[in-house]
Amino acid sequence: MIAEAGLAALWIAAALAALQLALAALGLVRPAAPELSAAVRPVAIVQGVLAAAAMLLLIAVFQQSDMSVKLVAENSHSAKPWIYKIAGAWGNHEGSMLLWVTILGLAGGAVALFERQLDERTAIATLGAQAAIALGFYAFLLLASNPFARLYPAPTEGAGLNPLLQDPGLAFHPPTLYAGYVGLSVAFSFAVGALVTRDVEREFARAMRPWVLGAWIFLTIGITAGSYWAYYELGWGGWWFWDPVENASLMPWLAATALLHSVTVLATRDGLRAWTVMLAVVAFSMSMIGTFLVRSGILTSVHAFAVDPRRGAFILALLAIYIGGALTLFALRVGTVRQGRTFELVSREGGLVANNLLLSVILGIVLIGTLYPIVAAGFGVQLSVGPPFFNKAAGPIALLLVAIMGVGPLLRWRRDDLSALAERITWPLVATGVAFVVALLAAMPIGVLPLLGLSLAAGLAVASVAPLWGRNLRRTPLFTWGMVIAHLGIAVSLAGMACDAAFTAERLVALAPGQATRVGPWRVTLDGISPVVADNWSALQARLTVERDEGVRRLYPQSRTFSDPPTTTSESAIATVADGQLYTVLGQPDGQGRWQLRLWWKPFVTLIWAGGALIALGGALSLAGRLMRRRQEAVA
């Protein structure tokens, strides 16, 4: 009966979403009936609770290995460890969509429960827009992707979970990424609500900013965690492959980053009103496009769900309705959005506009590079767009963006003087120049983009902390600390990316037990190969001794074989040290008593993910600071 209870919870939640939308519409049409508007908030809260209950019930049937539920039989196995039974609930199409709807419902409930800064009519319109989004996804789940469908007769055992998903990352990466995706739906609903009530003012931006910031934080964490998961799990030694599904998560992050800066200008200086509303629509559009790409069946990727294209068409229809409707509303109401305050080109607002334009250009490049092969395939032309295109097209623009990012926080609001600005950027320019010379004089050749990346990373690091110079650090607001740390995180990640591109050493060898080879500063010896057996897989495991000046380590890369479903995977073994990582992968025997080994020495590659953690930490500090200020203003 657990599955039936979950399905009932979904149906009731869908009915409440329809009721929430109707009440919001009636409350806006009949402002003299306050009881209608007052009912919207509790309905939204109950809807979120029921969606969460449905998700918990799906986890319960996975944990019990109830093979009479079709989703469990197709994606689980009774021998799976408990963590993969729980995380496996969203390691498939239907379960991941239920997780999406759960976060969507909880987000709407949180807006209903906590958002009191918005004008009440705008808040009701916002909750109505959120209900409209939820209703479409409830319809998709219940009509096309029922996660609780029964299977008769029930098999005695399930097919098992994709071995590439049998990793602790499955428990962490999708929920954080989805929280970011769906969090952008709140920004979208805020924008629609403000357009409906013609209330695109500073108060609207101040209310929306924490929700945008929260979504951006989760997106940052999800992308960072997903990058590292793919890096060590797929066994190809790369931290970003420009896979279409990786791009599907990057595009919303780029749009959300632009939106975050734009909404800050509107909330702080009452500028960029129409641009902020448009970016809110674009950011959620990217989330919807990503959802369509992953679930339509038109992509071939280890990340994508193999799904009937008809369900992809359902999502495409939702995208057309929501985004098309929002753009139509924007076109109809943009004339009523007042301009807001003006500013000079040389100002912090000007820097943020340049930041937004460059982010939008990069977003356009990634979007075109991702969709172009799909469009070409529709005309019978098979082609692929890979890392060379994205690196050459987006790389230089990203470096220009970093340069502007270093200057932006040093600019004054409204208007600045070029001579005064030149004095403030002296030390960042010095740091850039010194790093350029040091990198250029390094022992090994270095490409142009890595050279510029290392140089700009040094300059950005100095510029990031410049807003703290001369300030009382104890009295510095948390959101200022957040900006500093987030920008410093960008510099750290950029340095890691540049080092990985410039200094990585790779070696593919075939060794017999007892033989050794060198890669970078490491001496790697193959001690032997031995079998290993676990609960749901068996493996051939290499025993490696890796030596460097500071000591000796043991690494154990594996070639694993899973029986449910039958799959062979490469499990890398990584030695992490202060100045980088040694990455090892076991290949196949060559028939002459030797085993293939693929080895990478990647100096300072860990800076990539350390920088991602700093970016998320900076966002969290900024969010905490903004919420504290809101509370102080409310008390006052």
Side-chain angles (χ1 to χ4, degrees), residues 442-530:
M444 63 175 63
I446 184 171
V448 174
L449 287 181
L451 174 62
L452 294 176
L454 283 170
S455 305
L456 288 173
L460 178 58
V462 174
S464 297
V465 300
L468 299 178
W469 296 347
R471 302 185 68 155
N472 184 333
L473 298 183
R474 292 185 178 180
R475 294 181 178 272
T476 301
L478 266 182
F479 48 79
T480 300
W481 279 104
M483 177 190 71
V484 168
I485 292 173
H487 284 188
L488 181 60
I490 294 287
V492 171
S493 284
L494 178 60
M497 296 171 193
C499 287
D500 179 66
F503 307 125
T504 291
E506 181 180 358
R507 188 165 178 81
L508 177 62
V509 294
L511 299 179
Q515 290 184 330
T517 189
R518 297 197 70 88
V519 58
W522 295 88
R523 185 175 188 272
V524 180
T525 304
L526 176 61
D527 296 326
I529 304 289
S530 57

Side-chain angles (χ1 to χ4, degrees), residues 256-274:
T257 303
L259 174 60
L260 182 59
H261 289 89
S262 182
V263 77
T264 297
V265 173
L266 178 51
T268 306
R269 300 293 167 176
D270 195 21
L272 305 182
R273 294 186 178 191

Side-chain angles (χ1 to χ4, degrees), residues 541-624:
Q541 177 176 277
R543 302 189 306 278
L544 303 179
T545 298
V546 297
E547 304 171 73
R548 212 169 76 152
D549 293 340
E550 62 267 28
V552 177
R553 294 178 178 227
R554 302 284 189 273
L555 294 180
Y556 304 96
Q558 298 176 342
S559 176
R560 289 185 183 175
T561 299
F562 293 79
S563 57
D564 299 301
T567 311
T568 299
T569 65
S570 293
E571 300 295 324
S572 63
I574 302 173
T576 301
V577 292
D579 59 342
Q581 288 186 330
L582 175 65
Y583 188 111
T584 67
V585 177
L586 174 64
Q588 299 298 314
D590 67 354
Q592 301 177 15
R594 299 182 303 178
W595 290 80
Q596 293 178 353
L597 286 174
R598 195 158 194 167
L599 311 171
W600 286 268
W601 165 237
K602 306 173 88 57
F604 300 105
V605 69
T606 50
L607 293 180
I608 296 172
W609 302 291
L614 283 175
I615 296 168
L617 174 61
L621 289 176
S622 183
L623 178 60

Side-chain angles (χ1 to χ4, degrees), residues 23 33 62 90 94 298 300 305 318 395 446 464 472 520 559 601 617 634:
L23 289 173
F62 267 83
W90 53 76
E94 290 84 355
I298 63 176
T300 300
F305 297 103
L318 292 179
I446 184 171
S464 297
N472 184 333
S559 176
W601 165 237
L617 174 61

Side-chain angles (χ1 to χ4, degrees), residues 55-431:
M55 187 72 232
L56 291 174
L57 290 169
L58 182 65
I59 292 173
V61 295
F62 267 83
Q63 187 61 33
Q64 293 181 4
S65 296
D66 185 353
M67 299 303 167
S68 68
V69 176
K70 183 180 179 182
L71 197 63
V72 178
E74 292 178 347
N75 296 278
S76 189
H77 190 281
S78 61
K80 290 286 181 285
W82 66 269
I83 187 172
Y84 300 138
K85 289 183 180 179
I86 294 175
W90 53 76
N92 53 79
H93 168 74
E94 290 84 355
S96 67
M97 286 308 303
L98 179 54
L99 179 63
W100 172 287
V101 167
T102 298
I103 298 174
L104 188 66
L106 290 175
V111 172
L113 189 61
F114 298 112
E115 186 50 65
R116 304 294 175 180
Q117 190 170 356
L118 268 181
D119 173 79
E120 187 61 20
R121 291 191 76 247
T122 304
I124 296 305
T126 298
L127 290 171
Q130 192 74 5
I133 298 171
L135 188 58
F137 281 99
Y138 281 127
F140 177 68
L141 267 179
L142 293 169
L143 301 179
S145 300
N146 178 11
F148 296 102
R150 290 287 189 181
L151 188 61
Y152 299 104
T156 57
E157 194 51 87
L161 180 66
N162 184 341
L164 291 175
L165 298 179
Q166 294 186 38
D167 185 274
L170 181 63
F172 182 77
H173 169 60
T176 52
L177 194 63
Y178 285 9
Y181 276 172
V182 179
L184 293 177
S185 72
V186 176
F188 174 85
S189 296
F190 268 80
V192 170
L195 286 173
V196 168
T197 60
R198 299 179 173 87
D199 184 30
V200 184
E201 304 285 345
R202 291 178 65 178
E203 290 72 20
F204 146 76
R206 288 176 177 174
M208 183 171 74
R209 180 167 53 184
W211 300 97
V212 175
L213 187 51
W216 181 81
I217 292 168
F218 279 113
L219 271 175
T220 302
I221 294 172
I223 291 173
T224 302
S227 168
Y228 193 68
W229 181 15
Y231 168 75
Y232 72 75
E233 177 64 31
L234 295 183
W236 40 253
W239 57 272
W240 194 263
F241 198 62
W242 292 106
D243 180 273
V245 181
E246 289 181 334
N247 294 347
S249 64
L250 177 62
M251 290 187 293
W253 186 86
L254 291 170
T257 303
L259 174 60
L260 182 59
H261 289 89
S262 182
V263 77
T264 297
V265 173
L266 178 51
T268 306
R269 300 293 167 176
D270 195 21
L272 305 182
R273 294 186 178 191
W275 183 243
T276 299
V277 172
M278 174 58 74
L279 281 176
V281 175
V282 169
F284 185 59
S285 301
M286 293 302 104
S287 294
M288 290 286 292
I289 289 173
T291 303
F292 168 71
L293 290 176
V294 175
R295 292 171 174 81
S296 62
I298 63 176
L299 290 181
T300 300
S301 167
V302 297
H303 306 78
F305 297 103
V307 173
D308 184 343
R310 289 176 295 180
R311 292 196 277 188
F314 198 126
I315 296 176
L316 187 61
L318 292 179
L319 191 154
I321 292 169
Y322 295 141
I323 307 309
L327 291 177
T328 302
L329 178 63
F330 179 82
L332 293 174
R333 292 294 175 86
V334 69
T336 67
V337 178
R338 293 188 294 111
Q339 179 180 1
R341 296 184 183 179
T342 59
F343 50 85
E344 298 291 333
L345 180 63
V346 181
S347 64
R348 185 174 293 190
E349 291 95 330
L352 290 172
V353 169
N355 170 294
N356 276 4
L357 290 175
L358 290 174
L359 282 168
S360 299
V361 171
I362 296 172
L363 172 59
I365 290 171
V366 177
L367 181 63
I368 291 170
T370 303
L371 296 183
Y372 183 66
I374 299 171
V375 175
F379 291 94
V381 179
Q382 298 298 321
L383 54 84
S384 63
V385 177
F389 165 79
F390 291 106
N391 292 337
K392 291 178 181 179
I397 299 172
L399 292 178
L400 179 59
L401 174 65
V402 170
I404 293 176
M405 187 187 308
V407 176
L410 303 179
L411 288 164
R412 306 291 186 192
W413 291 105
R414 298 291 179 206
R415 177 185 300 173
D416 206 344
D417 182 76
L418 284 175
S419 58
L421 174 63
E423 183 178 346
R424 289 195 294 273
I425 65 173
T426 298
W427 286 112
L429 287 177
V430 169

